[in-house]
């Protein structure tokens, strides 16, 4: 499946009621998000599926592929466009076997070795970070921009930077061959997710020029 990771928006519904959450998701999509991920850590399977269905209805309107975090079963249940698996989730090769060749398979990498292994196991893109400290993900460690650079050179798939990124601190990524940037808070928690997404995308395009 075709996808573009330039502005990869990852959700966090924690502070919002359903209506506010879905409103913010749609605003972010209006702002030019190119790929999005539903990331729910404290939901029952039933709640995760229900929310994924609602988000998928919205993402389809904007032709933006929806990636489901952690859960291959939820992805299949709602026929989302892909799944993102981390080190503690289903092994990549198994996930690929289950989802087939046409769904998007995302992986996390913090070292060149893990990045190469993920590529070989069937990952379609990699998220690398955290570049900056973040309160969104507990227990995450910082990945240096040097490592990010090496990973970009080591694998032929799109590599995205993630972790504490916002339009005013992205200059450290200049000259590194990333395919895009990921953001949770900078978009999700902004006064206007639409304005925030627009600014972040503009900044990435400038950075790459
Ligand atoms: N993986 C590494 S950092 C991170 C994830 C999921 C959280 C990024 O969130 P934010 O709010 O953009 O720092
Ligand atoms: Mg995970």
């Amino acid at each position: 499946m075709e996808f573009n990771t330039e502005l990869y928006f990852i959700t966090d519904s924690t502070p919002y009621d359903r209506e506010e959450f879905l409103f913010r998701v749609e605003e972010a999509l209006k702002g030019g998000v190119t790929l999005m991920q539903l990331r729910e850590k404290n939901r029952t399977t039933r709640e995760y599926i229900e929310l994924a269905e609602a988000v998928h209805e919205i993402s389809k309107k904007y032709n933006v592929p929806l990636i489901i975090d952690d859960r291959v079963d939820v992805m299949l249940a709602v026929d989302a466009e892909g799944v993102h698996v981390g080190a503690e989730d289903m092994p990549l090769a198994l996930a690929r076997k289950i989802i087939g060749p046409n769904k998007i398979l995302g992986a996390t990498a913090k070292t060149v070795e893990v990045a190469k292994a993920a590529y070989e196991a069937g990952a379609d893109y990699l998220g690398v970070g955290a570049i900056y400290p973040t309160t969104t993900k507990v227990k995450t460690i910082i990945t240096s921009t040097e490592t990010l650079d090496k990973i970009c050179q080591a694998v032929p798939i799109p590599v995205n930077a993630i972790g504490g990124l916002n339009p005013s601190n992205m200059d450290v990524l200049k000259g590194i061959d990333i395919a895009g940037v990921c953001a949770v808070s900078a978009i999700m928690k902004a006064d206007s997710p639409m304005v925030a997404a627009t600014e972040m995308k503009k900044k990435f395009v400038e950075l790459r020029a």
Side-chain angles (χ1 to χ4, degrees):
M1 171 164 309
E2 290 283 307
F3 66 101
N4 169 0
T5 68
E6 255 172 51
L7 182 59
Y8 188 175
F9 168 52
I10 302 174
T11 65
D12 178 6
S13 69
T14 319
Y16 308 107
D17 65 23
R18 178 190 157 89
E19 193 188 354
E20 173 75 10
F21 174 66
L22 295 176
F23 175 76
R24 285 176 170 270
V25 165
E26 181 146 13
E27 287 295 298
L29 289 162
K30 284 181 187 162
V33 163
T34 60
L35 187 66
M36 74 165 288
Q37 178 187 124
L38 181 64
R39 182 174 182 270
E40 292 294 320
K41 298 296 185 188
N42 297 303
R43 296 274 183 188
T44 63
T45 300
R46 184 149 317 186
E47 286 170 346
Y48 206 165
I49 289 173
E50 198 279 327
L51 200 58
E53 278 171 342
V55 168
H56 202 202
E57 282 307 305
I58 301 170
S59 63
K60 281 193 277 194
K61 280 201 294 185
Y62 295 84
N63 283 318
V64 170
L66 174 65
I67 309 294
I68 303 294
D69 192 34
D70 297 342
R71 296 283 301 270
V72 171
D73 57 341
V74 174
M75 187 226 83
L76 291 172
V78 306
D79 196 28
E81 285 70 36
V83 64
H84 187 98
V85 292
E88 293 174 356
D89 304 317
M90 186 179 290
L92 279 161
L94 262 180
R96 174 57 81 201
K97 198 167 128 190
I98 294 173
I99 69 177
N102 299 325
K103 295 290 187 183
I104 303 165
L105 182 58
T108 301
K110 294 177 189 293
T111 66
V112 171
E113 291 67 35
V114 170
K116 282 184 178 164
Y119 165 63
E120 276 155 24
D124 292 313
Y125 74 82
L126 299 178
V128 176
I131 303 301
Y132 290 109
T134 175
T135 53
T136 302
K137 184 173 183 172
V138 283
K139 287 195 293 183
T140 193
I141 56 164
I142 298 295
T143 303
S144 69
T145 48
E146 287 73 26
T147 299
L148 175 65
D149 190 24
K150 285 190 189 132
I151 291 174
C152 290
Q153 293 176 44
V155 293
I157 49 177
V159 174
N160 266 41
I162 182 168
L165 296 171
N166 65 58
S168 53
N169 68 11
M170 284 162 55
D171 284 331
V172 293
L173 303 172
K174 193 161 178 68
I176 303 178
D177 196 19
I178 50 172
V181 285
C182 297
V184 183
S185 322
I187 297 174
M188 192 86 245
K189 295 183 184 164
D191 288 344
S192 164
M194 180 168 70
V195 171
T198 307
E199 282 175 359
M200 196 140 181
K201 193 170 181 180
K202 182 163 163 265
K203 184 69 194 181
F204 177 68
V205 170
E206 280 168 20
L207 211 70
R208 202 176 36 184

